[in-house]
Amino acid sequence: MRALGLMVLLGLAACAEQSAGHVGVGEAPPRAVPQDASVEPTDGPFAGTWEACEGTASPEECSRYVLLQRGDRICGTWSYFASGQAYEGRVIARATSSTEARRTHVCGRPGSETDTECDDGWQRIDKPLRLCDGNLGDLTGADGACFADYRAVPTPEEERDALHARLWLQDCLSRDP
């Protein structure tokens, strides 16, 4: 089961790498990142792998965020399973405090998170990421309460290294899309 999850993440990473050179309508071309200028993210409060498995039939059906953070910039991947289908993509957020961030850009397989394929550029959004009681939330309750159903889980080193190596992610941690 872990192998399947790793295969899905590596597949997403491969697709993301192929589309790293694509420029969406109205987007600036990506800046070349020299081989020796890789961006090493620091550990911030949002960095890590977060998963929500409530109501899933198997671990492969858990919703996940894999996030890296450098200063106030948060970049990573998201995935979820719905109606028998897997959805995945990329996310960019900006931390406004140690417990609050705003997701600003997203792309991926069209579904409830986005309607923009990563090959077509980024969709602008304004949605929360919040840390409450050690968990991550991407929704806010009607009363403004934090609804955090993603729990921190260990990130396998090879998964983290594969994500660190993606040019789009290095570029993301360096500047706005």
Side-chain angles (χ1 to χ4, degrees):
M1 295 204 184
R2 260 189 208 169
L4 179 60
L6 183 56
M7 287 175 22
V8 168
L9 181 65
L10 291 176
L12 171 63
C15 289
E17 188 67 24
Q18 288 176 355
S19 66
H22 179 79
V23 179
V25 175
E27 299 288 331
R31 177 177 56 79
V33 178
Q35 293 279 49
D36 61 343
S38 66
V39 176
E40 275 303 312
T42 59
D43 288 332
F46 291 91
T49 299
W50 304 88
E51 78 180 21
C53 298
E54 187 70 31
T56 62
S58 68
E60 291 80 26
E61 295 179 6
C62 295
S63 295
R64 284 187 185 81
Y65 282 100
V66 181
L67 304 173
L68 300 177
Q69 183 174 354
R70 183 176 192 224
D72 67 348
R73 187 175 305 277
I74 302 163
C75 305
T77 60
W78 56 265
S79 63
Y80 69 91
F81 192 84
S83 303
Q85 306 230 4
Y87 295 84
E88 54 193 26
R90 303 176 191 167
V91 62
I92 299 173
R94 185 168 303 276
T96 57
S97 75
S98 62
T99 59
E100 302 275 336
R102 298 302 295 179
R103 290 178 284 156
T104 60
H105 294 80
V106 67
C107 68
R109 181 172 181 206
S112 69
E113 288 297 314
T114 185
D115 58 12
T116 304
E117 293 272 359
C118 291
D119 285 345
D120 296 330
W122 292 96
Q123 176 181 348
R124 291 183 185 274
I125 62 171
D126 183 19
K127 295 184 178 179
L129 278 179
R130 297 175 75 184
L131 295 173
C132 309
D133 300 322
N135 292 329
L136 178 76
D138 60 1
L139 301 171
T140 300
D143 61 354
C146 185
F147 181 72
D149 57 344
Y150 288 83
R151 63 182 177 85
V153 296
T155 306
E157 188 174 337
E158 63 275 3
E159 187 176 320
R160 187 187 66 245
D161 291 347
L163 189 58
H164 278 245
R166 299 293 150 220
L167 290 177
W168 76 265
L169 189 112
Q170 292 177 16
D171 200 39
C172 171
L173 288 169
S174 298
R175 66 181 185 97
D176 287 331

